Amino acid sequence: MAAPRTGLVAVALAIVYVVWGSTYLGIRVVVEDAPPMTSMGLRFATAGLLLGAFFAIRRGFKFLALTRRQIAGTAFLGLCLPLLGNGLVSVAEDKGATSGFTALLIAVAPLIIVIFRAIERDLPNTQTIAGVLLGFAGLALLVLFGRGAGDFALGPALIVLFAASCWALGSYVQPRLWLPANPFVVAVWEMIFGGAMMVALGLSVGETMTFDYPAKTWWALSYLVIFGSVVAFTAYVWLVANAPISLVATYAYVNPVIAVFLGWLILDEKITWPIVAGGAIVVAAVALVISSERRNPAPAAPAEPPVVEQVAKSLQTP
């Protein structure tokens, strides 16, 4: 497979860095009034339908067709990423989890991915491991000392940690699943299936959606649909298929930096020395991992199904 152009990877990574860093704030605004699982299900289902409609108009409905195995594969991703990954984050924030602590705990995803790689005897090189550990240390300094500590309950913390594990699992196994050749088709059905499951789960536990929420709730939900899901989520899906997973996972380091900046810009929060020092460490860790993965790309997993080779070939053309 020909390596994707560096510029495209950089743009997609920047979108995931910046936009997902702001979605913690968006989720927090939405769950202040709307139920977490149902509202986030509406977010992903709407985003999937919008993206699907765009491709149906441009390429025809046949472009979005799935086989039975592909239905199972995209539904599994919908379970791991939108439902268990993002949905549980919204539940945790609804239960009082702050965006800073949530971002810190979500940062364990790269560490979990390293464990998955080690299990398959694909241990990252020393520089990558050092970058992951350095990034986690920077986040600890940034959040624990820069945003305050001691007010994050154990229950929401465990929910976020489980969500991070599910997101890491879905991201890691994606290249091994039977999926459509085009990653954007994967994103469409992944969001539709995941969103539908989230709405069904929310309704089954007694959540209800109404239309009398404040305007800020609908603006925040619209932002999450368009930018958090259609734009950033699609960019993430493309990155997983086109860049080393250890590089993609570095978004977890940058998101808290964006959250701190938005807190200063919108909520007039103070920027203290732990924030400056922790932010510098995070940026250094990202640079370390990126440089390491560029020089030492992860080898392909053994015994991959034929569809993975088809995906790789299809991604060589724009």
Side-chain angles (χ1 to χ4, degrees):
M1 170 179 169
R5 286 173 289 184
T6 303
L8 292 178
V9 173
V11 170
L13 200 60
I15 290 173
V16 174
Y17 280 174
V18 176
V19 175
W20 268 352
S22 66
T23 57
Y24 289 103
L25 176 62
I27 292 173
R28 186 69 176 177
V29 172
V30 170
V31 300
E32 285 181 356
D33 296 287
M37 192 63 70
T38 306
S39 62
M40 291 303 108
L42 179 62
R43 161 194 174 181
F44 279 103
T46 303
L49 291 172
L50 289 174
L51 191 62
F54 171 80
F55 284 116
I57 294 172
R58 292 289 301 273
R59 304 286 296 272
F61 286 100
K62 188 176 181 180
F63 177 74
L64 299 173
L66 299 177
T67 65
R68 291 183 179 180
R69 287 180 173 179
Q70 290 170 351
I71 290 174
T74 51
F76 181 77
L77 288 182
L79 173 67
C80 289
L81 302 184
L83 196 162
L84 296 178
N86 186 275
L88 290 181
V89 165
S90 66
V91 170
E93 291 201 19
D94 180 58
K95 293 183 177 296
T98 62
S99 60
F101 278 104
T102 300
L104 171 64
L105 295 176
I106 286 294
V108 305
L111 301 180
I112 297 172
I113 291 174
V114 169
I115 294 174
F116 291 155
R117 290 178 61 177
I119 291 175
E120 290 198 338
R121 299 180 180 180
D122 178 24
L123 187 65
N125 60 69
T126 303
Q127 185 172 332
T128 296
I129 296 175
V132 170
L133 297 177
L134 180 64
F136 192 86
L139 283 173
L141 177 61
L142 175 67
V143 178
L144 295 180
F145 292 92
R147 300 294 296 272
D151 57 351
F152 195 66
L154 178 61
L158 294 177
I159 292 174
V160 175
L161 286 172
F162 182 69
S165 300
C166 294
W167 190 274
L169 175 63
S171 300
Y172 187 71
V173 303
Q174 179 175 336
R176 296 157 177 78
L177 297 174
W178 291 88
L179 298 172
N182 193 296
F184 299 108
V185 178
V186 175
V188 168
W189 289 111
E190 179 181 337
M191 290 191 287
I192 290 176
F193 288 140
M197 287 187 283
M198 293 167 74
V199 171
L201 178 59
L203 295 177
S204 69
V205 298
E207 291 186 357
T208 56
M209 285 285 293
T210 66
F211 292 96
D212 59 352
Y213 300 125
K216 65 176 183 178
T217 301
W218 294 110
W219 279 113
L221 186 58
S222 298
Y223 175 82
L224 292 173
V225 169
I226 301 300
F227 293 96
S229 294
V230 173
V231 177
F233 193 76
T234 303
Y236 178 82
V237 170
W238 185 87
L239 278 170
V240 169
N242 286 273
I245 192 63
S246 297
L247 171 60
V248 178
T250 58
Y251 75 88
Y253 301 149
V254 181
N255 287 171
V257 177
I258 301 300
V260 169
F261 173 74
L262 290 177
W264 168 78
L265 182 66
I266 299 174
L267 303 178
D268 197 28
E269 296 176 346
K270 295 181 179 180
I271 297 181
T272 60
W273 72 264
I275 293 178
V276 174
I281 294 174
V282 167
V283 172
V286 171
L288 182 64
V289 173
I290 289 177
S291 62
S292 174
E293 290 299 310
R294 281 178 176 171
R295 291 196 304 268
N296 301 281
E304 292 182 346
V307 72
V308 176
E309 297 179 3
Q310 297 172 8
V311 172
K313 292 179 181 179
S314 70
L315 293 176
Q316 293 180 10
T317 58

